[in-house]
Amino acid sequence: MRRIGKLWVYTLIGIWGVPFSTFSQGNGDQEMRVVLFGDSMTEGWGVDSTRSFGSLLETELKQTGIPVAVLNAGKGPDRSDMAIARMQQDVIVKQPDVVLIMYGAYDAMVDSGKTKARIPLNVYTKQITQIISFLKGINVTPILMTAPSMGMTPAMDREPYKSAGPNFLLTHYMEACRKLAKESRIPLVDHFSTWEKLAEEGKDLSALRLDGFHPNVAGHKQMAESIFPVLKEELSPKFMEVYSKEDVPYDQYKSPAILTSRSGFLLAFAEGIRNQTGINSSDIVFKRSFNKGESWTELDTLVSGGLSFLSDPVAAQEESSGKIYLLYQSRPGFSEGEGDALEAGVKGDLIAKVFYLMTEDEGRNWSEPVEITKDVKRPKEVTHISGGPSNGVFISDEKGPGRMVLPFCQKANGQWQVFTVYSDNSGKSWKYSDLIAGAEQQQLSEPTLIQQTGDTLLLSVRSNKEKKRLLATTENGGKTWTPFSEDPNYPTSSTKPTSLFKFNPYYTLYVGIEEGKDEGIMKLSKDQGKSWKYRQVFYSGKFGEGSFTTSGPTQAGILFSYGENEGINYARFPIKWLLVNPIED
């Protein structure tokens, strides 16, 4: 087994007894849900609810075009231990996309006649950590907030506050809060530091407080201003660089493929191309992210091609075991001007070959490559073979591991045609379907495969001759297919790869470009592709090709190339971002 990098694991324990499947479909409406979770300051004690920071946030976010509902679950005087006790009934049942957490003010309080805080600092830290871990485990985004600094209140007209000041303990709790956000790699809104800085600049903080403790209307406005940019970023598409020219020793990157493991890790594959060796050659490269794409491991060469050209990585995940399979192609590298003189057959040095490798631990260790050329490539006339660009699908089977199905193209006698390959026994043996009929002489490419329902699969390809998109379906898991037919409802591009993705049983996603433009366009269908009423420009530069994945129940992600294979980025976006401003009929 090959060991890749380090493994960071979140322990996802359902401490509130909520199964992951509860959140698998999101909350079902078009608005993203943000839940405010905290004490009486979050609740908005002493101010009209329409002027609390939650209400102000909802108004401002909607004005920027973000469909959002901000739900207040603040309750005072709440502490972190009380938060855990009521989290299920007050937060989880709301099926949030994002939860803003603000605790510590009541935890750090010293009651009259006491010398220690109500909740010890180490216990507070442990309980907030528990809340963060649980939310991440159910793919809800936590945002941690420090509480605003406090002024003296009548209740503090005693020791230790007289001598030490109102924030002598709260300072330590809020520092622990900052540390937790950094260690957990989640966003932080630091109200405490903001208010302290305002005081240093001469601001009279009593103008922001009702009673020395609770924010007044001006205080809530100040808090909303601090939260808004952080929350807007979480509710909007977010772009992260994955592969760039600085990732030596490669000159270009193309054919991105991405998959989300059962623990929520992202596995990003690509071709790493070398242009300076005198021979056109490439490797299969690999990175992982453990925090929804915020950061990535160092580049690993998963499979080295030497002077060969390794291409078209296609991934699939076995639902029952979590095993991840990666198929790729290998062919001899050729010098510039020499051409691509591949021979037909399944044996020899000048042929295209197919391999797969597998991981049982979400990418930490990988098997050695296994050649399956003779099982997936027709023995005569076929010179070229390639998989993707979409990932494969797994069809569940109660009696076994299920069927793994992947889309493939082949070139024989100068014609590109499409078929599928499949395995019913975890890759131990493979078979290929008949060539899909109905598009002879069409020079087909870029087969994209999605699972509609059960054994019903949809395969979409581009006709390079007639510049249109053709569809075929199967109801027996890819063994046989209906002939290709044109569906004018399906979007397509005549010059660039496109990709389809089944986000959930209700939403189908598309990415590509529109005629005469280079920018990346996403579309969404809510009726199995009969119509595409939702459209957004997601990348304004020169878009290449993309591979979709999920990023929890309410977010999707896309790994895509840009420019002239200059690099590969990852974009994470709320699925409801696509539902803004539907296209008029």
Side-chain angles (χ1 to χ4, degrees):
M1 299 286 282
R2 301 183 61 245
R3 185 181 180 90
I4 303 292
K6 297 180 179 179
L7 178 66
W8 300 342
V9 180
Y10 295 120
T11 302
L12 307 179
I13 301 174
I15 54 176
W16 285 276
V18 181
F20 178 81
S21 59
T22 301
F23 303 88
S24 60
Q25 301 302 331
N27 55 47
D29 56 30
Q30 293 185 13
E31 289 185 323
M32 288 175 276
R33 293 185 183 182
V34 176
V35 173
L36 311 178
F37 193 33
D39 53 37
S40 56
M41 286 189 280
T42 299
E43 186 180 22
W45 184 89
V47 301
D48 187 279
S49 61
T50 60
R51 306 183 76 179
S52 67
F53 71 79
S55 181
L56 296 174
L57 282 170
E58 180 175 290
T59 299
E60 191 168 1
L61 287 166
K62 285 183 175 179
Q63 287 175 349
T64 63
I66 297 175
V68 64
V70 178
L71 310 175
N72 198 323
K75 186 177 181 180
D78 226 18
R79 308 184 305 255
S80 58
D81 57 332
M82 298 173 177
I84 287 180
R86 71 182 183 89
M87 189 170 180
Q88 163 63 33
Q89 66 189 42
D90 290 347
V91 177
I92 304 304
V93 296
K94 293 179 171 62
Q95 298 189 39
D97 301 302
V98 177
V99 175
L100 274 67
I101 308 161
M102 189 172 76
Y103 278 97
Y106 287 101
D107 294 76
M109 278 189 176
V110 179
D111 290 319
S112 181
K114 306 287 185 179
T115 58
K116 296 181 179 180
R118 290 175 176 175
I119 302 295
L121 180 58
N122 66 319
V123 176
Y124 163 80
T125 302
K126 181 179 179 180
Q127 290 172 162
I128 298 299
T129 301
Q130 203 172 14
I131 293 170
I132 293 170
S133 296
F134 181 74
L135 291 172
K136 292 172 78 172
I138 57 174
N139 282 302
V140 174
T141 300
I143 297 178
L144 205 51
M145 302 198 299
T146 60
S149 62
M150 295 190 293
M152 291 295 287
T153 69
M156 292 178 177
D157 190 20
R158 54 181 172 81
E159 296 297 341
Y161 292 109
K162 276 188 174 182
S163 302
N167 297 299
F168 81 102
L169 280 181
L170 185 59
T171 298
H172 301 293
Y173 284 67
M174 297 302 96
E175 181 57 36
C177 188
R178 296 184 197 100
K179 185 178 179 182
L180 276 178
K182 184 177 181 179
E183 291 175 347
S184 302
R185 299 180 179 182
I186 63 172
L188 173 73
V189 180
D190 196 352
H191 296 299
F192 190 94
S193 293
T194 298
W195 287 40
E196 290 291 278
K197 184 177 180 180
L198 288 173
E200 292 172 3
E201 294 172 352
K203 175 76 173 182
D204 180 7
L205 295 188
S206 64
L208 302 178
R209 302 182 181 122
L210 279 172
D211 53 4
F213 182 85
H214 295 95
N216 58 17
V217 170
H220 276 272
K221 182 179 179 182
Q222 175 64 53
M223 294 175 72
E225 290 175 357
S226 297
I227 299 168
F228 176 78
V230 178
L231 188 54
K232 181 184 178 185
E233 182 176 355
E234 287 302 312
L235 299 176
S236 305
K238 190 172 185 180
F239 292 82
M240 289 76 78
E241 185 177 75
V242 183
Y243 295 104
S244 70
K245 288 185 176 180
E246 283 67 41
D247 284 325
V248 293
Y250 303 105
D251 303 299
Q252 291 180 309
Y253 297 90
K254 62 178 293 189
S255 301
I258 191 166
L259 185 146
T260 302
S261 73
R262 292 203 298 187
S263 295
F265 302 161
L266 296 175
L267 285 71
F269 309 95
E271 298 173 20
I273 302 172
R274 294 179 294 271
N275 296 329
Q276 299 174 0
T277 61
I279 293 179
N280 189 14
S281 62
S282 64
D283 301 331
I284 300 298
V285 296
F286 170 62
K287 288 187 178 185
R288 287 190 298 169
S289 174
F290 309 103
N291 53 10
K292 295 186 176 182
E294 295 290 337
S295 61
W296 295 84
T297 57
E298 294 296 320
L299 183 146
D300 273 304
T301 299
L302 188 57
V303 188
S304 176
L307 296 180
S308 297
F309 197 93
L310 308 187
S311 64
D312 302 305
V314 184
Q317 182 167 212
E318 189 173 273
E319 293 182 6
S320 59
S321 67
K323 294 178 183 177
I324 295 170
Y325 297 81
L326 185 76
L327 277 69
Y328 65 93
Q329 291 73 59
S330 172
R331 57 180 173 82
F334 294 96
S335 300
E336 186 176 352
E338 185 178 358
D340 200 354
L342 291 176
E343 297 177 353
V346 295
K347 292 182 180 180
D349 296 329
L350 296 178
I351 67 167
K353 300 178 181 180
V354 182
F355 296 81
Y356 86 87
L357 60 163
M358 181 268 293
T359 177
E360 298 184 80
D361 55 14
E362 303 179 303
R364 188 184 186 192
N365 299 286
W366 289 86
S367 69
E368 294 298 327
V370 177
E371 184 177 355
I372 56 172
T373 307
K374 64 180 180 62
D375 298 321
V376 301
K377 183 183 179 187
R378 289 167 174 81
K380 298 179 180 180
E381 300 177 342
V382 176
T383 52
H384 296 68
I385 185 170
S386 63
S390 77
N391 284 337
V393 301
F394 252 97
I395 301 172
S396 300
D397 186 345
E398 295 180 357
K399 299 179 181 180
R403 171 169 292 179
M404 176 170 32
V405 187
L406 301 104
F408 266 73
C409 286
Q410 69 169 46
K411 184 180 181 182
N413 299 318
Q415 296 297 316
W416 281 98
Q417 296 172 291
V418 170
F419 63 104
T420 52
V421 304
Y422 58 93
S423 173
D424 293 322
N425 53 13
S426 301
K428 294 182 179 65
S429 64
W430 296 81
K431 297 179 180 180
Y432 52 77
S433 73
D434 291 337
L435 295 174
I436 303 176
E440 292 74 12
Q441 309 299 315
Q442 290 289 314
Q443 298 292 12
L444 305 178
S445 65
E446 302 153 13
T448 296
L449 184 67
I450 60 174
Q451 186 173 11
Q452 296 284 56
T453 55
D455 288 353
T456 301
L457 309 180
L458 172 74
L459 193 138
S460 170
V461 299
R462 185 175 73 187
S463 165
N464 290 293
K465 182 178 181 181
E466 297 189 6
K467 311 300 183 184
K468 60 185 179 182
R469 183 136 306 256
L470 304 174
L471 304 178
T473 59
T474 176
E475 295 184 355
N476 56 17
K479 293 176 68 175
T480 59
W481 291 84
T482 63
F484 279 120
S485 61
E486 183 180 4
D487 187 338
N489 293 321
Y490 264 81
T492 189
S493 164
S494 63
T495 58
K496 285 285 187 177
T498 63
S499 185
L500 293 174
F501 180 65
K502 196 73 173 178
F503 178 76
N504 61 26
Y506 317 104
Y507 296 162
T508 305
L509 307 185
Y510 160 90
V511 68
I513 67 169
E514 294 178 341
E515 298 305 318
K517 299 180 180 179
D518 288 331
E519 59 192 11
I521 302 295
M522 281 190 191
K523 296 183 179 182
L524 182 146
S525 172
K526 297 173 72 173
D527 53 12
Q528 309 297 333
K530 294 182 179 66
S531 64
W532 299 81
K533 295 184 177 181
Y534 304 92
R535 174 192 179 277
Q536 289 277 21
V537 176
F538 96 97
Y539 185 70
S540 58
K542 189 173 184 179
F543 177 78
E545 56 185 319
S547 173
F548 282 111
T549 191
T550 56
S551 184
T554 62
Q555 292 189 327
I558 183 170
L559 188 72
F560 67 97
S561 58
Y562 60 88
E564 299 297 334
N565 299 321
E566 296 169 17
I568 292 176
N569 286 347
Y570 176 70
R572 187 180 74 234
F573 58 94
I575 197 68
K576 292 172 185 173
W577 166 77
L578 280 170
L579 300 176
V580 180
N581 301 322
I583 301 170
E584 297 294 334
D585 292 329

